[in-house]
Amino acid sequence: MCEYCGCQSLTSIDELTREHDEVVQLISHVRDAHRAGDTARMAELARRIGEVLEPHTEVEEHGLFPALADDFPDQLAALEQEHRQVESVLAEAAAGTPRDTTWPDRLIGVLDLLRLHILKEQDGVFPAALAALSTEQWEAVEAVRARAGTRMEQPAG
C-alpha cells in the first residue's frame, strides 16, 4: 500500500500497514466466498478480519488518533464511526454463520467501506502522524500496541 511518505519506517505505522494488508487479502477471500455463495466461509473470514482489526483499532483509537485529535477532530470522529460500522457487521458472525439472508450483501458493503477507510488512513492519517507526532506521542502509541498485541495471521510453514 502506502510507501511514498516514509511513514512505514516507524514500527507503529509499519505494523498498522501490515494489518491493513492482511485485511485487504482477507477481503479478497470474502469476495471469492460471496461469489461462490459460501456464507459459512464468509463468516469464518469475517471472524478472522475481526481478529486482525481488534488490536489494530485499539492502537488507532487509543494511541494514534488521540495524538491527532486537536488537528483533525472531524476526520477522526468519522473514522471511528466507520470502525463501529465495520465492527457491527463483523460481530454478527462472532457465534457462527448468520442466519439473516441480508448479511452476506451487508458484509460485502461494509468491506467496501473498510477498503476505502484503509486508504484514508494510509494516505491521510499515517502521513499526518509522521509529520505531527512527537517522540513522546510515538512512545504512547507503542505502549498501546504493547498492551493490545497483534493478531496477525501466522504464515503457513
Side-chain angles (χ1 to χ4, degrees), residues 64-135:
L64 197 58
F65 290 5
L68 295 168
D70 288 344
D71 295 324
F72 306 101
D74 296 336
Q75 295 89 340
L76 296 174
L79 290 172
E80 288 185 6
Q81 177 56 37
E82 290 174 359
H83 286 168
R84 301 296 83 78
Q85 289 177 259
V86 171
E87 290 166 350
S88 176
V89 176
L90 293 177
E92 293 179 52
T97 303
R99 296 179 193 260
D100 181 348
T101 58
T102 68
W103 181 79
D105 289 335
R106 288 187 298 107
L107 178 63
I108 293 298
V110 84
L111 294 179
D112 289 343
L113 170 69
L114 179 56
R115 188 71 179 84
L116 294 172
H117 175 94
I118 287 170
L119 293 174
K120 290 179 213 173
E121 289 181 349
Q122 292 198 177
D123 293 343
V125 174
F126 297 172
L130 178 65
L133 270 63
S134 68
T135 300

Side-chain angles (χ1 to χ4, degrees), residues 153-157:
E153 180 106 358
Q154 297 301 314

Side-chain angles (χ1 to χ4, degrees), residues 14-26:
D14 183 55
E15 289 174 348
L16 291 168
T17 300
R18 284 186 296 114
E19 289 164 343
H20 280 166
D21 292 346
E22 175 70 16
V23 167
V24 168
Q25 183 65 33
L26 290 167

Side-chain angles (χ1 to χ4, degrees), residues 17-85:
T17 300
R18 284 186 296 114
E19 289 164 343
H20 280 166
D21 292 346
E22 175 70 16
V23 167
V24 168
Q25 183 65 33
L26 290 167
I27 289 171
S28 73
H29 295 309
V30 171
R31 292 185 193 293
D32 291 342
H34 187 253
R35 281 190 291 277
D38 190 346
T39 305
R41 177 77 174 138
M42 291 177 71
E44 173 191 336
L45 291 163
R47 288 188 293 277
R48 288 173 52 197
I49 291 169
E51 290 170 359
V52 174
L53 289 179
E54 184 180 341
H56 176 94
T57 300
E58 185 171 338
V59 170
E60 288 180 345
E61 292 187 0
H62 298 283
L64 197 58
F65 290 5
L68 295 168
D70 288 344
D71 295 324
F72 306 101
D74 296 336
Q75 295 89 340
L76 296 174
L79 290 172
E80 288 185 6
Q81 177 56 37
E82 290 174 359
H83 286 168
R84 301 296 83 78
Q85 289 177 259

